[in-house]
Amino acid sequence: MHILLAEDEAINRLYIRNLIRKKGWSVHEAADGEQALKALENERFDLILLDLGLPKKDGYEIAKSVQEHGLDVKILAVTGYDYPEDRKKIREAGMHGLIPKPIQEHFFYEEIQRVCP
């Protein structure tokens, strides 16, 4: 599986990168929304792990761009906000689920398996 990790916090990227590599999956990292969009123009991904609070372009803008371009990719929001209204907004934006921060390893893998069996 090839994953785009769009996360602005370096420590979070390090932790998530290690979880991804632990499963033998490949990862491309983007530290802001513009880098994420550029990666989507140049590579095909199976999954986007998308921090909603990215600088330059936020996660909702990226999800909208994915839909507008008809890209066949699953999106999981990665956020510290895990309230019913947040989950509703995430679904409405076309994302496939949510991984709450702080990330729990077992839930991280379960959620990825759910959207990318």
Side-chain angles (χ1 to χ4, degrees):
M1 181 161 32
H2 190 43
I3 298 172
L4 173 59
L5 170 58
E7 167 64 59
D8 61 322
E9 295 292 331
I11 191 72
N12 290 340
R13 281 196 313 273
L14 174 66
Y15 180 68
I16 296 168
R17 175 188 331 124
N18 287 335
L19 291 175
I20 291 168
R21 289 184 175 160
K22 189 174 179 179
K23 290 290 187 180
W25 301 327
S26 65
V27 61
H28 180 106
E29 297 178 34
D32 65 45
E34 289 180 358
Q35 289 177 7
L37 289 174
K38 188 169 193 81
L40 287 165
E41 290 174 9
N42 296 317
E43 294 181 50
R44 186 198 171 284
F45 296 95
D46 302 298
L47 175 66
I48 304 171
L49 297 175
L50 186 56
D51 178 21
L52 298 179
L54 289 171
K56 298 186 181 176
K57 300 266 184 200
D58 70 20
Y60 294 104
E61 291 173 285
I62 293 168
K64 181 179 179 182
S65 181
V66 165
Q67 288 181 337
E68 288 173 350
H69 290 93
L71 300 177
D72 182 25
V73 61
K74 303 291 186 187
I75 303 173
L76 286 175
V78 181
T79 181
Y81 300 102
D82 186 17
Y83 299 101
E85 59 271 16
D86 299 311
R87 287 187 175 268
K88 181 180 182 213
K89 188 175 177 184
I90 287 164
R91 278 192 311 275
E92 289 171 350
M95 296 180 230
H96 301 90
L98 178 144
I99 296 174
K101 293 178 185 176
I103 294 172
Q104 297 176 18
E105 185 174 345
H106 71 281
F107 184 77
F108 177 83
Y109 293 129
E110 286 173 7
E111 191 65 359
I112 290 174
Q113 284 298 121
R114 184 185 68 76
V115 299
C116 296

